Amino acid sequence: LADLLCAGTCVPIAMGMWTGANPKAALGGMAVGLVTIILVFVISGAIISDPVTGLSEIYYAYDLRSPTLLAAFLLGPTTSGLFTFMGSKIFPYEFPGYPSQKAANVKATLTA
């Protein structure tokens, strides 16, 4: 269970080192990653028998050959990373105390 939690949140945390990352987009990306993992198990359970059974399989996700587990580990980080990236591009964020890109571009133009 802990590895699925980490899979859904690792990419937005790593993207937090990027100066263009928006903290709110990263938090949203973490939520999207976790919801994606839950949905993978619910959909898998709905295909096999019923969604509640699929959701309960999260606690018993020890079979590493399971296609459901593989899909969760691939889709969780992918969707969380895409959400964080797109949110950061749509809503740019300037960190307080950190020189903005606009100021750096103007300074480079004036000194050239």
Side-chain angles (χ1 to χ4, degrees):
L1 189 59
D3 48 357
L4 289 170
L5 175 70
C6 291
T9 60
C10 65
V11 176
I13 290 172
M15 288 181 75
M17 293 185 279
W18 170 42
T19 58
N22 186 332
K24 292 179 183 176
L27 187 61
M30 290 179 201
V32 165
L34 295 176
V35 167
T36 301
I37 289 171
I38 291 170
L39 283 176
V40 165
F41 279 95
V42 168
I43 291 170
S44 171
I47 291 171
I48 295 170
S49 61
D50 65 300
V52 177
T53 303
L55 194 56
S56 69
E57 286 181 15
I58 290 177
Y59 293 110
Y60 305 107
Y62 55 85
D63 184 12
L64 298 179
R65 296 171 292 156
S66 166
T68 304
L69 196 58
L70 177 65
F73 274 116
L74 290 176
L75 290 174
T78 303
T79 56
S80 65
L82 285 173
F83 187 91
T84 303
F85 180 75
M86 295 305 293
S88 297
K89 286 297 186 182
I90 293 171
F91 304 107
Y93 182 80
E94 295 290 333
F95 290 95
Y98 192 82
S100 68
Q101 282 297 101
K102 295 175 190 172
N105 290 341
V106 169
K107 185 177 179 181
T109 305
L110 293 176
T111 57

